[in-house]
């Protein structure tokens, strides 16, 4: 179809999902002009603010994402929050289509007694702290010697590892000074990770689980005599699923190790479900776990047998949760935007014209960075299918929808927009800080400092 102007598309969220979607759309053959809008002063989403600092190899994905965002054909508008700086109505007026790639950054709830006690935390909040997120407090109360973590996914392992690692082994990473200072006074000795089901059902990836066994001066303790339970379905998974087979093998290797003498320990418990967080004077003093039993189909049921563990802090790593944006149909039960293969659906299940979604906010907070690429492919395929209708509708707001107009609006509203060249200044600054300390980078944390450096105001 021939058009007078490119289709104006806003991609909300400059994490991997939004970046891959922008990349695929820009190469789709459609005549498009793309703005990728990000609420934080820095791009890359959870690759910068979720992936653990001691996983530099995974953080390297940022290089590929930067190649897309810095190429020149996609415009980054960072430090712009959709919902406050620009509303959905503004997006409708300034763009022909919008793709929501806002991810998930909050903790899912866990409804058990005592979960709100002082000393009970969400893993996502702790991750944001140790990854230097600008919108969370600078200090974290690391006062517990014994800690419980509910959940057996990679986030639980990240939290356990960062808590148990000795500060000198984290000091070589990009962690900011406030985080290093906090970790230096961490008195922890024992971190207990709890899973409701058996070793065949844990969600650890084999690599992360193996890595745990190499953390200096930290022993891994497992309890095969009580926690190793396999029903028929579990046996089949443990024998046929390659990933799960490796996980079970690694756990068995840990079980066969001679008892260690390290000064810190990570205990991996299975077949125990959180029943209550115990407390005194409003503070966490322990956790009460209920032993579970497999039901033959891989699911578990409580047995009525309870075990108490004395701990002074609890982290729930039971999943991330998406945040709704005013006016965008949201599924409260899943924490995602209602959609079918990336087309946003209204309450009646009909596609909302010109609205799409991709990444964690589209399908829920599971899966690795690579999965967001296939997500993006599916969503962009829908835009290509809808292209004729989108171009037809685009004639309605032709004058309004120029790239300059949206910038003018943001400036009128006093928003300090950070574009790619501005981010490059902050990137160079952080690398400079790192170089002076023999590290690759040291993150700048306060939002105003990030913005000032990016905009050359410091
Ligand atoms: C703790 C943790 C560790 C992980 N480790 C790994 C790992 O080692 N390897 C791996 O492959 N995967 C890992 N993952 C998974 C990986 O981070 C996700 O698969 C991926 O980041 C999801 O991409 P996304 O773009 O959908 O969401 P996100 O990465 O969350 O990006 C969404 C972006 O949207 C922005 N945004 C949100 N709301 C708005 C708004 N209103 N206006 C403007 N912008 C907005 C956010 O600021 C963010 O930048 C990890 C995840 C977590 C939580």
């Amino acid at each position: 179809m021939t058009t007078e102007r490119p289709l104006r598309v806003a991609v909300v969220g400059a994490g991997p999902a939004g970046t891959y979607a922008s990349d695929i759309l820009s190469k789709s053959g459609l005549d498009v002009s793309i703005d990728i809008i990000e609420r934080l002063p820095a791009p890359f989403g959870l690759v910068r603010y979720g992936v653990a600092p001691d996983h530099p190899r995974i953080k390297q994905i940022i290089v590929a994402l930067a190649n897309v965002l810095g190429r020149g054909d996609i415009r980054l508008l960072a430090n712009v929050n959709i919902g406050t700086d620009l509303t959905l109505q503004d997006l409708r007026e300034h763009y022909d289509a919008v793709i929501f790639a806002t991810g998930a950054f909050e903790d899912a709830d866990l409804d058990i007694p005592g979960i709100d006690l002082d000393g009970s935390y969400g893993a996502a909040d702790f991750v944001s702290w140790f990854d230097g997120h600008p919108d969370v407090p600078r200090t974290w109360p690391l006062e517990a010697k014994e800690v419980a973590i509910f959940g057996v996914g990679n986030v639980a392992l990240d939290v356990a590892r960062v808590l148990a690692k000795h500060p000198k082994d984290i000091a070589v990473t990009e962690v900011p000074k406030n985080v290093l200072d906090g970790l230096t006074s961490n008195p922890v000795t024992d971190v207990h990770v709890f899973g409701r089901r058996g070793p065949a059902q844990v969600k650890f990836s084999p690599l992360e689980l193996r890595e745990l066994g190499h953390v200096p001066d930290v022993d891994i303790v497992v309890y095969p005599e009580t926690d190793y339970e396999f029903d028929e379905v579990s046996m089949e998974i443990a024998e046929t699923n390659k990933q799960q087979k490796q996980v079970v093998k690694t756990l068995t290797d840990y079980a066969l190790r001679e008892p260690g003498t390290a000064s810190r320990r990570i205990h991996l418990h299975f077949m125990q479900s959180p029943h209550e967080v115990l407390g005194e004077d409003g503070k966490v003093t322990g956790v009460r776990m209920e032993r579970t039993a497999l039901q033959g189909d891989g699911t578990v049921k409580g047995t009525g047998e309870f075990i108490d563990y004395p701990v002074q802090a609890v982290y729930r790593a039971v999943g991330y949760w998406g945040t709704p944006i005013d006016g965008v149909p949201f599924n409260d039960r899943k924490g995602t935007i209602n959609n079918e293969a990336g087309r946003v659906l209204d309450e009646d299940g009909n596609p909302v014209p010109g609205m799409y979604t991709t990444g964690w906010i589209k399908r829920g907070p599971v899966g690795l960075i690579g999965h967001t690429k296939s997500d993006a492919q599916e969503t962009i395929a829908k835009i290509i299918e809808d292209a004729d209708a989108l171009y037809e509708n685009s004639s309605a707001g032709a004058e309004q929808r120029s790239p300059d107009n949206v910038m003018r609006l943001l400036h009128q509203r006093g928003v300090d927009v950070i574009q790619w060249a501005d981010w490059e200044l902050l990137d160079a600054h952080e690398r400079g800080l790192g170089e002076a300390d023999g590290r690759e980078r040291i993150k700048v944390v306060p939002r105003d400092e990030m913005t000032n450096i990016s905009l050359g105001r410091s």
Side-chain angles (χ1 to χ4, degrees):
M1 166 160 207
T2 54
T3 54
E4 286 174 13
R5 66 175 177 88
L7 197 71
R8 291 277 294 139
V9 180
V11 178
V12 183
T19 307
Y20 288 136
S22 304
D23 186 33
I24 295 166
L25 181 61
S26 70
K27 294 171 178 165
S28 66
L30 294 181
D31 185 14
V32 285
S33 146
I34 303 170
D35 284 347
I36 184 162
I37 305 175
E38 168 58 50
R39 75 188 175 105
L40 295 175
F44 314 128
L46 283 172
V47 188
R48 182 174 158 99
Y49 290 118
V51 171
D54 58 347
H55 281 169
R57 200 180 49 81
I58 295 165
K59 295 255 184 206
Q60 279 301 308
I61 292 175
I62 283 179
V63 175
L65 301 179
N67 283 340
V68 174
L69 296 179
R71 207 165 55 198
D73 58 333
I74 295 161
R75 184 171 70 164
L76 173 70
L77 305 178
N79 207 27
V80 178
N81 186 43
I82 298 304
T84 51
D85 298 323
L86 289 177
T87 62
L88 182 62
Q89 183 58 28
D90 294 325
L91 292 179
R92 289 299 215 179
E93 281 171 17
H94 287 267
Y95 298 93
D96 304 307
V98 183
I99 304 172
F100 291 97
T102 48
F105 47 89
E106 290 182 50
D107 282 289
D109 289 335
L110 178 67
D111 191 14
I112 57 168
I115 198 72
D116 294 326
L117 285 167
D118 211 5
S120 169
Y121 311 105
D125 290 338
F126 182 57
V127 167
S128 291
W129 174 75
F130 71 60
D131 245 342
H133 195 292
D135 297 340
V136 301
R138 294 296 103 84
T139 56
W140 189 270
L142 288 168
E143 290 145 11
K145 280 187 147 189
E146 294 150 309
V147 177
I149 300 173
F150 299 148
V152 279
N154 286 338
V155 175
L157 282 193
D158 283 346
V159 170
R161 201 182 60 253
V162 170
L163 279 172
K165 237 180 190 179
H166 290 274
K168 68 173 173 40
D169 298 315
I170 297 258
V172 292
T173 71
E174 64 180 30
V175 282
K177 186 173 178 313
N178 66 301
V179 174
L180 208 48
D181 289 348
L183 292 172
T184 301
S185 54
N186 178 13
V188 79
T189 58
D190 291 87
V191 178
H192 296 267
V193 180
F194 292 100
R196 290 173 57 244
R197 299 195 285 164
Q201 281 90 16
V202 297
K203 302 278 184 234
F204 304 143
S205 66
L207 202 65
E208 283 226 18
L209 184 62
R210 273 202 300 275
E211 176 195 355
L212 216 56
H214 299 292
V215 180
D217 194 26
V218 176
D219 283 337
I220 309 303
V221 189
V222 291
Y223 300 87
E225 55 294 343
T226 52
D227 292 3
Y228 266 40
E229 208 185 290
F230 296 88
D231 59 5
E232 220 171 283
V233 170
S234 314
M235 282 304 284
E236 199 184 319
I237 295 171
E239 278 162 17
T240 57
N241 180 305
K242 197 172 154 220
Q243 170 144 332
Q244 226 52 36
K245 201 172 174 174
Q246 287 176 21
V247 164
V248 172
K249 180 180 178 311
T250 305
L251 290 171
T252 309
D253 290 346
Y254 290 150
L256 293 173
R257 280 185 182 181
E258 288 293 318
T261 55
S263 64
R264 291 179 171 179
R265 286 156 295 279
I266 296 175
H267 307 255
L268 302 175
H269 304 273
F270 308 111
M271 309 299 302
Q272 296 187 49
S273 173
H275 182 75
E276 184 177 352
V277 180
L278 307 169
E280 221 177 274
D281 298 331
K283 286 190 175 166
V284 172
T285 56
V287 288
R288 179 160 298 158
M289 308 300 296
E290 182 177 13
R291 190 154 281 290
T292 58
L294 283 160
Q295 297 301 293
D297 59 356
T299 63
V300 287
K301 223 166 103 178
T303 61
E305 181 197 342
F306 296 97
I307 312 163
D308 290 356
Y309 294 84
V311 298
Q312 302 80 47
V314 174
Y315 292 77
R316 63 180 197 283
V318 293
Y320 273 55
W321 203 251
T323 304
I325 290 179
D326 263 357
V328 182
F330 193 72
N331 185 330
D332 288 322
R333 280 175 299 107
K334 288 162 78 182
T336 54
I337 292 177
N338 284 332
N339 74 94
E340 190 179 22
R343 281 190 187 111
V344 174
L345 301 180
D346 65 17
E347 276 177 9
D348 301 323
N350 300 316
V352 182
M355 251 201 228
Y356 303 86
T357 182
T358 191
W360 271 19
I361 195 67
K362 168 187 175 187
R363 77 182 142 79
V366 284
L368 298 174
I369 296 160
H371 295 134
T372 62
K373 203 177 221 173
S374 35
D375 261 351
Q377 274 158 348
E378 184 185 57
T379 297
I380 300 306
K382 294 299 162 206
I383 296 189
I384 295 169
E385 272 176 42
D386 298 347
D388 283 353
L390 291 171
Y391 278 117
E392 242 161 61
N393 288 343
S394 72
S395 57
E399 309 88 60
Q400 178 77 333
R401 291 174 187 162
S402 82
D404 291 344
N405 271 350
V406 72
M407 280 305 271
R408 211 168 293 129
L409 179 67
L410 286 164
H411 285 141
Q412 274 166 11
R413 290 183 180 170
V415 181
D416 282 332
V417 181
I418 291 174
Q419 299 198 54
W420 182 257
D422 308 322
W423 151 253
E424 282 184 317
L425 288 183
L426 177 59
D427 185 37
H429 179 88
E430 289 187 340
R431 285 175 192 280
L433 292 178
E435 206 176 325
D437 201 41
R439 301 194 252 164
E440 192 179 325
R441 156 191 316 272
I442 298 177
K443 270 183 185 165
V444 173
V445 181
R447 194 179 257 267
D448 54 352
E449 203 179 323
M450 293 174 79
T451 311
N452 286 341
I453 294 166
S454 298
L455 299 179
R457 294 195 297 223
S458 55

